[in-house]
Amino acid sequence: MDRSVEALWRRRAGAFWRESIPYFRDMTQSGLPGVVIMLLLAGLAGYALLLRNMPANFPFTLVGVIVLTPVLCWSPLRTWLREADIVFLVPREAEMGAYLRRSFRYNGLACFAAVLLVCAVYMPLYLAGPATTPALVIGLFALLLKLMNSAAAWRERQLVSLGARRTIRVLRWAATAVAAGALLQTELWKTAVYLVVVGGLFALLYARLSCYPVPWLTLIAEEQTTRRRYMAFFSAFADVPTESAAVRPRRYASWLARFVPYGQSHAFTYLYAHTLARTELGGIILRLTGLGMVSGTLSAYAGLWQGWGSAAVCLLFVWLSGIQLGSLAQSHRHSVWRLVYPLPDRTRHNAVLRVDRVASLICAVLIWLPHGILLPGQDGLAPALAALAVALVYVLALRPRRIRKLLTFDPDDD
């Protein structure tokens, strides 16, 4: 058997995707891909309508910066490393260059493809406005920016200081946003000079900071986080093996759990409120809600399909956030302590329903808010009210039935 580090990388990558195939099958059977495809087709039709009826004051550059910056800066790295590798693989650190090169190729190709896809989607909008740079040049510079961000992200992973890592990441995102705006609005030579100067400054900054040759703990933690995100997504469609959840304070969200009163009757409510606020599931819901608000703002600002397309965007994100919230019903299902403490399982079911209802309602209102503010000023009061009514019916009437069904088929309740 081949014992090289490259063969180890291939075995681990193949094992992960083989384990994931059944969950992808369950997701397909749920009907989610069909709904997403139909909504994408509707979005393309609305995009074409926006291009034909472009508002005179449309913020072309701002939209471009908002769309391009995340895909240029976000540079994930799947290494398939595990905690046991600290003992068994660290002695082979001299060979890890070949192992990491496979990870760079694996993730880099997908990231570059994502950059080209986003550029291709944005280019018609950019060319419909005051385009100052050819589309091909923008694509090439976007790939260059992605390459620079990928290299910088690796250097950040190598840094010893966590505080320095976070600070430089914020600076890198801000510098990339400025570069994207310059690329879309100013002369090309100015953008090139800016990239050379900023790239040199970041290179000097990285060179002065202490770093590890191979940041084992950082790579292992990142791999665990990625696996948990996959499992949190799959758990909305099937029962998946639970892994240790990463707990983060999230003081900007966990304060909501303080409104839960102490007492035996509220024990499970307190548990599930903190589970949602402090685990990876809460992070997914927050990001999805934020994306829904941004997408809602853009679609409502454009008056997509006389407001009805905007209402459809609102309901799509309300539904997607509800799908992810369904994972909360599977949290703590395999915990032994809930069978030991004298707390009836009926109170657990009621707590899941209560936390799910409150969280779904907060997400639905936040997602609907841009539509409720922008659509009435464009004669879109009826679509805004219709979206709100359907969202409330979904949250207050339809979701409780789905959550009860998930709890009813809980095998641990037999």
Side-chain angles (χ1 to χ4, degrees):
M1 184 176 65
D2 190 354
R3 298 184 179 275
S4 66
V5 291
E6 292 181 289
L8 177 63
W9 190 99
R10 290 194 298 269
R11 286 196 300 271
R12 290 184 174 183
F16 175 81
W17 292 114
R18 284 193 298 271
E19 294 171 1
S20 302
I21 287 176
Y23 304 132
F24 281 111
R25 188 182 303 118
D26 293 333
M27 181 190 69
T28 304
Q29 293 173 351
S30 70
L32 177 62
V35 174
V36 172
I37 290 173
M38 287 189 295
L39 289 171
L40 284 176
L41 293 175
L44 289 175
Y47 191 29
L49 181 63
L50 174 63
L51 293 175
R52 287 196 300 268
N53 303 282
M54 186 66 63
N57 58 344
F58 191 84
F60 297 95
T61 302
L62 178 61
V63 171
V65 171
I66 293 174
V67 169
L68 291 175
T69 300
V71 75
L72 292 175
C73 292
W74 186 52
S75 301
L77 186 64
R78 295 300 307 270
T79 56
W80 322 105
L81 293 177
R82 306 167 182 171
E83 290 184 343
D85 293 332
I86 298 176
V87 176
F88 297 104
L89 203 56
V90 167
R92 304 180 66 179
E93 184 171 316
E95 307 174 43
M96 286 301 292
Y99 187 98
L100 292 174
R101 278 194 294 273
R102 292 196 66 93
S103 291
F104 292 144
R105 288 197 298 269
Y106 173 84
N107 295 274
L109 292 175
C111 289
F112 287 146
V115 170
L116 292 177
L117 177 61
V118 172
C119 287
V121 172
Y122 173 69
M123 277 303 102
L125 182 64
Y126 177 70
L127 296 176
T132 58
T133 307
L136 180 60
V137 175
I138 288 180
L140 293 176
F141 265 76
L143 292 177
L144 175 61
L145 276 170
K146 184 61 185 178
L147 182 62
M148 295 174 66
N149 272 278
S150 298
W154 170 247
R155 293 292 293 168
E156 288 167 10
R157 292 182 176 95
Q158 290 180 299
L159 295 179
V160 174
S161 172
L162 179 60
R165 194 182 309 156
R166 291 175 175 173
T167 302
I168 294 179
R169 184 178 299 128
V170 172
L171 293 175
R172 176 169 61 88
W173 277 65
T176 304
V178 174
L183 178 62
L184 298 174
Q185 196 168 13
T186 63
E187 291 85 351
L188 195 59
W189 68 270
K190 293 182 180 179
T191 304
V193 171
Y194 173 80
L195 291 181
V196 171
V197 172
V198 172
L201 290 176
F202 271 90
L204 291 174
L205 184 59
Y206 289 132
R208 294 181 62 85
L209 296 172
S210 301
C211 63
Y212 299 111
V214 178
W216 291 96
L217 297 180
T218 300
L219 296 177
I220 291 171
E222 184 175 358
E223 179 63 27
Q224 289 176 339
T225 300
T226 304
R227 288 184 64 89
R228 278 193 293 266
R229 288 173 179 171
Y230 272 102
M231 294 302 108
F233 175 75
F234 291 145
S235 64
F237 308 98
D239 188 12
V240 300
T242 57
E243 297 187 8
S244 58
V247 179
R248 295 182 176 87
R250 288 206 184 95
R251 295 180 179 87
Y252 56 86
S254 59
W255 62 271
L256 293 170
R258 299 174 186 172
F259 290 98
V260 180
Y262 288 96
Q264 181 178 5
S265 59
H266 299 284
F268 279 116
T269 304
Y270 190 84
L271 171 67
Y272 281 101
H274 277 85
T275 298
L276 179 60
R278 302 183 64 182
T279 61
E280 187 58 39
L281 177 60
I284 293 175
I285 298 301
L286 288 173
R287 289 188 290 271
L288 191 58
T289 302
L291 180 60
M293 295 179 69
V294 172
S295 302
T297 300
L298 295 176
S299 62
Y301 181 85
L304 189 61
W305 286 355
Q306 297 179 347
W308 294 105
S310 177
V313 171
C314 172
L315 295 176
L316 168 65
F317 279 96
V318 170
W319 178 64
L320 290 176
S321 64
I323 287 179
Q324 285 302 307
L325 274 171
S327 304
L328 186 66
Q330 298 189 12
S331 300
H332 308 291
R333 288 176 58 180
H334 306 288
S335 298
V336 176
W337 66 263
R338 72 180 181 88
L339 303 175
V340 176
Y341 287 95
L343 295 171
D345 240 14
R346 180 175 54 81
T347 61
R348 183 175 74 92
H349 293 182
N350 294 336
V352 173
L353 288 169
R354 188 178 302 115
V355 174
D356 180 88
R357 185 186 306 114
V358 173
S360 299
L361 189 59
I362 292 175
C363 291
V365 171
L366 290 176
I367 293 171
W368 174 83
L369 197 58
H371 306 270
I373 294 174
L374 297 176
L375 286 180
Q378 303 179 8
D379 297 328
L381 181 60
L385 294 178
L388 178 61
V390 174
L392 291 178
V393 169
Y394 170 74
V395 169
L396 300 178
L398 300 181
R399 277 200 59 74
R401 296 179 184 178
R402 180 175 183 272
I403 298 302
R404 289 192 185 95
K405 185 177 180 181
L406 291 174
L407 294 170
T408 300
F409 287 99
D410 188 343
D412 295 338
D413 294 339
D414 295 339

